[in-house]
Amino acid sequence: EGYAMDWNLKEKGMFVSGDTKGELHIWNPNQDGTWSITPQFHTAAGSVEDLHWSPTEKTVFAAGDCSGRLSIYDTRAPNRAMLSHTLQESGSDINVISWNHIVANLLATGNDEGELAVWDLRHFSSKSGALEPLARFSHTSPMTSVEWHPTDESML
């Protein structure tokens, strides 16, 4: 069962999908109209809640899961996340992700507790301890959508 997907804007026809079992698949179109589907990644937490391709790198995408973990994957390095952090210590789902199309090191996430946060990937290493977002906003209900403004890098 599919749950999350995102089209790759840098690689025509390619998309990534995630399911409730935590499996991530890369889909590539074939000349004959069929698809090549590669099960390259698996999250440890279970259900994939949202996916978003990098706006600048055709092989890099972000995945948010039901344990509050945000992971960055590169299709050239199958079966492991390049970066991964639990952003929601409460275990709240990361419902939505949006990668800034102007400033490629900024990601926004929204969770079940109504929190919207902006993260700087330059400070998102596997060696760092607890991460603090650049900005955090509270909402009264779960976040179900987030998107950066197309021409203003500072506006969600």
Side-chain angles (χ1 to χ4, degrees), residues 84-118:
S84 190
H85 266 289
T86 300
L87 303 180
Q88 311 303 328
E89 294 301 329
S90 64
S92 180
D93 295 6
I94 293 180
N95 292 340
V96 292
I97 302 169
S98 183
W99 213 311
N100 191 307
H101 288 269
I102 300 170
V103 182
N105 56 289
L106 297 181
L107 276 172
T109 61
N111 69 19
D112 265 352
E113 296 173 354
E115 181 180 274
L116 179 66
V118 176

Side-chain angles (χ1 to χ4, degrees), residues 2 6 14 36 44 52-53 55 63 89 97 107 116-118 123 128 133-135 143 147-150:
D6 192 41
M14 177 190 280
S36 295
H52 205 277
W53 283 99
E89 294 301 329
I97 302 169
L107 276 172
L116 179 66
V118 176
H123 305 292
S128 61
L134 293 176
M143 299 301 297
E147 188 171 348
W148 289 94
H149 189 280

Side-chain angles (χ1 to χ4, degrees), residues 16-76:
V16 61
S17 68
D19 62 28
T20 57
K21 297 176 190 171
E23 294 179 5
L24 301 165
H25 302 278
I26 308 299
W27 299 66
N28 283 293
N30 296 319
Q31 292 291 336
D32 63 1
T34 62
W35 292 90
S36 295
I37 307 165
T38 310
Q40 291 188 310
F41 306 97
H42 186 82
T43 64
S47 182
V48 178
E49 300 294 307
D50 200 15
L51 297 161
H52 205 277
W53 283 99
S54 165
T56 58
E57 303 292 329
K58 69 179 183 178
T59 62
V60 177
F61 65 92
D65 65 39
C66 66
S67 72
R69 181 169 288 276
L70 178 68
S71 301
I72 308 297
Y73 294 93
D74 189 323
T75 60
R76 298 169 295 185

